Structures are given as structure tokens and as C-alpha cells.
Amino acid sequence: MTDLSGKTALVTGSVQGIGLAVAEALAGAGARIAVHGPHVDDVAHAACERLRDAGAPEVRLFPADLLDPEGAGMLMREVADWGGADILVNNAGIQRTAPLAQMPRETWDAIIAVNLTACFVTMQAALPTMAERGFGRVINIASVHGLVASKDKAPYVASKFGLVGMSRVAALEYAAAGTKAQGGVTVNCLCPGWTETAIIEPQIQARAETHGGDRDAGIAELLAEKQPTQRTSDPSEIGALALWLCAPVAHNITGTAIPVDGGWTAQ
Ligand code: NAD
């Protein structure tokens, strides 16, 4: 069992979906959790409650809109005042689909702001303190779309390829920080394929409409195109892998982009 007592984890976008599942796994190992969402609402309060139930010794909500150019910086200053993040999970993300020629410029700007620029700001703020402490884990939730492309996703694919590249740079810059006994500072990406959360719902609905509203048929078609196992992932499976990366045994795993994609990128 990985023991994260005494450690603080900031998980961006942890009020729902993959972020909440990752936060839940870390809470179960005893980490204090800095919960982040765009605003204070019932969804955020429910997530905090769930993380306390999962075993987090302390939970605090830090609202910040990452579309606001000052949002990520403000978030990191507030978390630093709370003791700083030993574990940073950049999970918040958005996706919109359209052919490149029709993709609105505002959509490009928004996706790059949330999926890439905010991660630069959080890593820049968190990594020096991790190096001083000799322990740190940065886990960036990229995507299969950080490794391969699909049509109609130009800004999303650009943001996730950018995130994988930036993570590799940070992994190299902090590779020598800390000792084996301390645990070192590692920076990795997780690259999920189809995972059942709100972000893929518009794509499921679009496919379902072509099958007379049959949602299962829509999911099956999406999987058949890309994900050879024909099975979606559950967010808790991403959480389990993130937790494992936080363990001392993972001190030499850095600069990786680990697919959780049912064979999508093996093709
Ligand atoms: P989701 O829509 O349920 O979660 C997205 C999270 O990002 C939410 O918590 C939301 O509050 C937060 N967020 C979005 N815009 C924000 C903003 N402006 N300010 C602050 N927070 C904001 O979807 P998810 O699947 O849980 O997505 C989590 C991550 O996983 C994303 O980075 C996504 O790209 C990635 N991902 C998901 C899948 C999948 O199939 N679900 C596959 C690959 C990668």
C-alpha cells in the first residue's frame, strides 16, 4: 500500500470525472487534498465530501477559472499558503470538435489556455519546491491525443502533444532532484483513451443519433474505430495508476507518457 500521509496533492479539475477519481485514490492513501474546480458550487462541495469519506485527513476547495489568464497563478499562490503541493496532477481539460478550417479562433485559445498554458503555470510554481523537498510527483493527464492525432481535434491534439513535450522537458530538468530515499521528483503523463466521463458525452450523443438514439451503439462504434479492447476505461483505473506513480518504487519512472488506451496507440 502506498502511504501518502504527510503529503499534499493538488488535482486540477478534481470536482468530477478523472480528476475526482485520481483525488479519491490519493485521498485513500492518506494525502491532504487541494480540490480544484472552476467555481464553488454543489458539485464541488459533494466532491470534497467524497474525498473526506475516502480518507483524506484534510480537504480544501480552491476555486479558479483556468480560462482566466491569472487563474492558475492565483491557484498556486493559495495552495502554497496551504503548504504547497508535493503531488501535482494537471487534469483539468476541455475539448471541442470541428474541422480545422471551421475551428473558431476563440476555441483554439480556450483549449490551449486550459489544457496547456495552465499546466505550464502550475508546474513552474510547484517544481522548485518539490526539488527543495527532494520529493515531488507531477502527473499530467494528457491523452492518446498527445501521442496520435484524430481529425476535427486540432487544438485538443496540439494541446496534448504540447503537454507531453513540456512534461519531458520538466522530467529532464528535475531528474537529479532528491535521493532514492526521498523519492525524487518525477514528471509523467497519463494518456487515456475512451474513458467514461462528461467530456466524451457530446461525441457519444452525436454517434447515438446516427443509431436512432441508441447510446450503447454509439459507444460501440467509437470503440470499434480506435480502441481494440472494445472496452471503455473507468476513471478509477486512471486513479489507480496515478497513485502507483506516487509510490517510492516509481522513483525512476520519469519523462514517460503512459497510454491507458486498450491498444489504441499500439496500432
Ligand atoms: P470532465 O469534463 O468530467 O472533467 C474536466 C475537468 O476540468 C472538470 O473537473 C472541470 O471542472 C475542469 N475544467 C474544465 N474547464 C475548466 C476551467 N476553465 N477552469 C477550471 N477547471 C476547468 O472530463 P474528464 O474526462 O474527467 O477530463 C479530465 C482530463 O482527462 C482532461 O484533461 C481530458 O482531456 C483528459 N482525457 C479524458 C479522456 C476521456 O475519454 N474521458 C481521454 C483522454 C484524456
Side-chain angles (χ1 to χ4, degrees):
M1 260 288 289
T2 305
D3 180 11
L4 297 179
S5 43
K7 305 278 195 257
T8 299
L10 165 62
V11 184
T12 69
S14 45
V15 294
Q16 65 181 58
I18 292 173
L20 178 55
V22 170
E24 212 163 9
L26 303 181
R32 297 165 85 219
I33 306 290
V35 180
H36 162 259
H39 22 247
V40 179
D41 56 12
D42 289 348
V43 174
H45 289 309
C48 291
E49 208 47 51
R50 197 159 140 182
L51 295 169
R52 282 186 198 101
D53 291 347
E58 273 186 272
V59 175
R60 188 183 291 183
L61 176 63
F62 295 87
D65 184 354
L66 300 179
L67 280 170
D68 176 348
E70 304 305 322
M74 188 193 73
L75 169 66
M76 296 314 287
R77 283 190 293 280
E78 289 178 0
V79 173
D81 290 343
W82 200 50
D86 303 291
I87 298 161
L88 166 65
V89 182
N90 278 310
N91 163 80
I94 51 175
Q95 147 129 265
R96 307 277 180 274
T97 57
L100 190 144
Q102 277 108 57
M103 185 66 76
R105 170 62 194 264
E106 310 80 67
T107 304
W108 168 274
D109 289 341
I111 291 176
I112 297 297
V114 175
N115 295 13
L116 185 57
T117 308
C119 304
F120 167 72
V121 173
T122 57
M123 288 166 68
Q124 192 173 50
L127 278 161
T129 310
M130 291 180 180
E132 278 166 27
R133 294 175 179 176
F135 175 85
R137 295 287 185 266
V138 177
I139 301 169
N140 291 327
I141 308 301
S143 168
V144 282
H145 289 114
L147 302 170
V148 294
S150 295
K151 60 184 187 168
D152 300 339
K153 298 184 178 178
Y156 187 78
V157 169
S159 72
K160 297 299 188 179
F161 267 72
L163 186 56
V164 169
M166 178 168 65
S167 303
R168 289 184 175 153
V169 172
L172 294 175
E173 290 184 2
Y174 287 88
T179 63
K180 192 186 274 197
Q182 289 173 307
V185 175
T186 69
V187 183
N188 293 288
C189 285
L190 301 185
C191 298
W194 294 117
T195 307
E196 295 216 33
T197 70
I199 206 170
I200 65 168
E201 209 43 46
Q203 294 174 83
I204 293 174
Q205 288 309 324
R207 291 305 173 106
E209 276 166 30
T210 65
H211 294 278
D214 184 340
R215 192 171 180 278
D216 290 342
I219 293 173
E221 191 176 272
L222 287 172
L223 288 169
E225 274 173 18
K226 301 275 188 182
Q227 196 149 308
T229 57
Q230 312 294 318
R231 302 186 294 267
T232 55
S233 291
D234 187 272
S236 66
E237 295 154 16
I238 313 296
L241 181 52
L243 172 61
W244 185 80
L245 282 173
C246 293
V249 74
H251 73 98
N252 250 341
I253 297 175
T254 194
T256 70
I258 305 173
V260 186
D261 66 358
W264 182 326
T265 54
Q267 297 168 97

